[in-house]
């Protein structure tokens, strides 16, 4: 299966976020970063082993402690998930997604300025 068609689960996305942020990590480092009180180390280990089998992460086994890194691109994965959400939840309307997102969370002035700047670029295309 091509990793471009893989849809990571919520737990896998949490691990991918850590790997995207840090680059490479051991299972212990990922587990500590997730700081999950309800999940043990072995749960994180098993999930990362499954992710390796699915082609989401690569594992360097040359040392005693295995080092993991994400194999899927953060931007492409986010784009796929957002597109799927727009289609499935917002009936294909990106505007409805944006309005819902802005209505649920308070955007900082910096975020509002970035959104305005992006909208101006879209209008000027």
């Amino acid at each position: 299966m091509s990793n471009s068609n893989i849809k990571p689960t919520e737990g896998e996305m949490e691990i991918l976020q850590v790997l995207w942020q840090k680059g490479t990590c051991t299972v212990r480092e990922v587990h500590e970063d997730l700081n999950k009180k309800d999940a043990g180390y072995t749960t994180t280990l098993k999930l990362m082993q499954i992710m390796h089998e699915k082609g989401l992460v690569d594992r360097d086994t040359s040392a005693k402690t295995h080092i993991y890194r994400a194999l899927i691109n953060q931007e492409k994965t986010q784009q796929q998930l957002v597109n799927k959400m727009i289609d499935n939840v917002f009936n294909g309307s990106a505007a409805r997604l944006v309005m819902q997102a802005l209505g649920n969370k308070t955007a900082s002035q910096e975020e509002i300025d970035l959104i305005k700047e992006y909208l101006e670029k879209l209008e000027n295309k």
Side-chain angles (χ1 to χ4, degrees):
M1 178 188 295
S2 167
N3 66 10
S4 65
N5 294 326
I6 293 174
K7 306 293 187 267
T9 66
E10 186 176 332
E12 291 169 345
M13 281 302 300
E14 290 175 356
I15 290 170
L16 286 168
Q17 292 290 343
V18 174
L19 293 174
W20 286 329
Q21 179 185 8
K22 296 188 174 198
T24 59
C25 290
T26 64
V27 175
R28 173 91 39 218
E29 291 168 332
V30 169
H31 182 72
E32 288 173 358
D33 202 72
L34 292 175
N35 197 17
K36 292 207 174 251
K37 294 174 176 46
D38 59 338
Y41 170 83
T42 55
T43 303
T44 305
L45 171 63
K46 184 63 178 170
L47 190 51
M48 291 180 74
Q49 289 170 338
I50 291 168
M51 291 172 71
H52 180 259
E53 292 169 12
K54 290 171 73 174
L56 296 172
V57 297
D58 188 29
R59 178 175 60 201
D60 179 358
T61 59
S62 62
K64 182 180 177 189
T65 304
H66 297 176
I67 305 293
Y68 288 81
R69 70 178 177 86
L71 282 179
I72 61 174
N73 179 279
Q74 182 176 11
E75 290 78 23
K76 284 183 182 178
T77 302
Q78 289 171 340
Q79 185 177 31
Q80 280 181 342
L81 293 171
V82 168
N83 287 341
K84 184 177 179 181
M85 185 187 319
I86 289 170
D87 290 341
N88 295 341
V89 179
F90 295 96
N91 205 26
S93 173
R96 286 177 53 197
L97 168 69
V98 171
M99 289 185 289
Q100 182 71 39
L102 291 175
N104 287 349
K105 298 277 186 179
T106 303
S108 69
Q109 187 59 49
E110 180 182 347
E111 290 172 319
I112 291 169
D113 292 342
L114 285 171
I115 292 166
K116 286 179 182 177
E117 183 180 316
Y118 184 72
L119 290 173
E120 286 174 13
K121 285 180 185 177
L122 288 176
E123 286 180 337
N124 293 329
K125 275 190 176 181

